Amino acid sequence: MNSIDSVTLEVADPEAAARFYADAFALDPARVRVRGAEAPSTGFRGFTLSLVVSRPGNVDALQAAALGAGATEIKPTAKSLWGYGGVVRAPDGTVWQLATSTKKDTGPATRDIDEIVLLLGVEDVRASKRFYVGRGMTVGKSFGGKYVEFTTAPDTVKLSLYKRRGLAKVAGVPGDGTGSHRLAITSPVGPFTDPDGFAWEAPGR
């Protein structure tokens, strides 16, 4: 099964970014990496990262830790039709969705993360779906031209596709943006650049 081994965020200050992600989310650096880059980028970068957890208390714990480490709150944590979640922007500009499908706590809060999901905002979901299937990705869920979720091997990053403006709306940010995505995706299916300009790299780079 083809999956995403890791994502690399291109940031102005790699040391500060690495410190933030360790303090806020205790992320595995093998899954979410940072490296220095000065490529121009304004507004919405066309993607978000989502941390999926098992209960609302974990969402609250992650959101509080992120804000304490220097993140900006975009959406406060709250219940919704699909579960419970919040959204923050890291100091490097990356938008993070923190979410659970559960609406009630069944145990003490932790910052344990069940899944990391990369959500790409694309212009044509159906076309991007065909593109990725052609490169060996396997569709898990698909809802017409609105959303696609690919199956994932254990301990990897899940890939999902949204309409770009739909993803921005879900994240609570304006959809306009220019310049670099400031993101590199490492996977055995790489290297290539997809139709929306997202760069994929082969492992070992």
Side-chain angles (χ1 to χ4, degrees):
M1 180 188 302
N2 286 317
S3 300
I4 296 173
D5 294 342
S6 65
V7 295
T8 300
L9 303 174
E10 298 180 338
V11 303
D13 187 336
E15 289 186 9
R19 187 166 55 250
F20 168 81
Y21 289 118
D23 292 345
F25 302 141
L27 289 174
D28 180 352
R31 296 286 165 255
V32 178
R33 304 173 178 178
V34 296
R35 69 184 179 205
E38 297 292 341
S41 182
T42 65
F44 183 47
R45 295 178 185 169
F47 75 94
T48 70
L49 282 157
S50 180
L51 301 180
V52 180
V53 300
S54 60
R55 58 180 67 95
N58 294 13
V59 172
D60 290 331
L62 287 169
Q63 185 115 335
L67 297 179
T72 302
E73 188 169 73
I74 297 174
K75 285 186 177 182
T77 56
K79 289 182 180 179
S80 68
L81 291 175
W82 50 263
Y84 187 86
V87 183
V88 298
R89 179 182 282 110
D92 63 80
T94 303
V95 175
W96 290 83
Q97 300 184 63
L98 314 174
T100 179
S101 59
T102 304
K103 296 184 181 181
K104 293 183 179 181
D105 284 309
T106 56
T110 71
R111 286 195 289 160
D112 293 341
I113 296 165
D114 297 336
E115 196 171 52
I116 301 173
V117 183
L118 171 63
L119 300 103
L120 299 184
V122 302
E123 291 302 319
D124 187 330
V125 171
R126 288 188 175 91
S128 291
K129 172 185 172 182
R130 290 193 298 270
F131 178 88
Y132 283 114
V133 168
R135 278 153 183 79
M137 303 294 284
T138 302
V139 174
K141 297 179 183 177
S142 182
F143 300 95
K146 295 183 178 180
Y147 176 76
V148 175
E149 180 180 294
F150 295 91
T151 55
T152 309
D155 298 320
T156 59
V157 178
K158 178 174 283 187
L159 173 64
S160 296
L161 307 176
Y162 258 100
K163 289 282 291 184
R164 180 186 169 99
R165 290 200 172 276
L167 179 58
K169 183 177 180 179
V170 168
V173 298
D176 295 331
T178 61
S180 173
H181 294 297
R182 290 205 173 188
L183 174 74
I185 304 162
T186 300
S187 170
V189 304
F192 59 81
T193 299
D194 82 356
D196 293 276
F198 290 101
W200 288 62
E201 300 175 348
R205 173 169 173 175

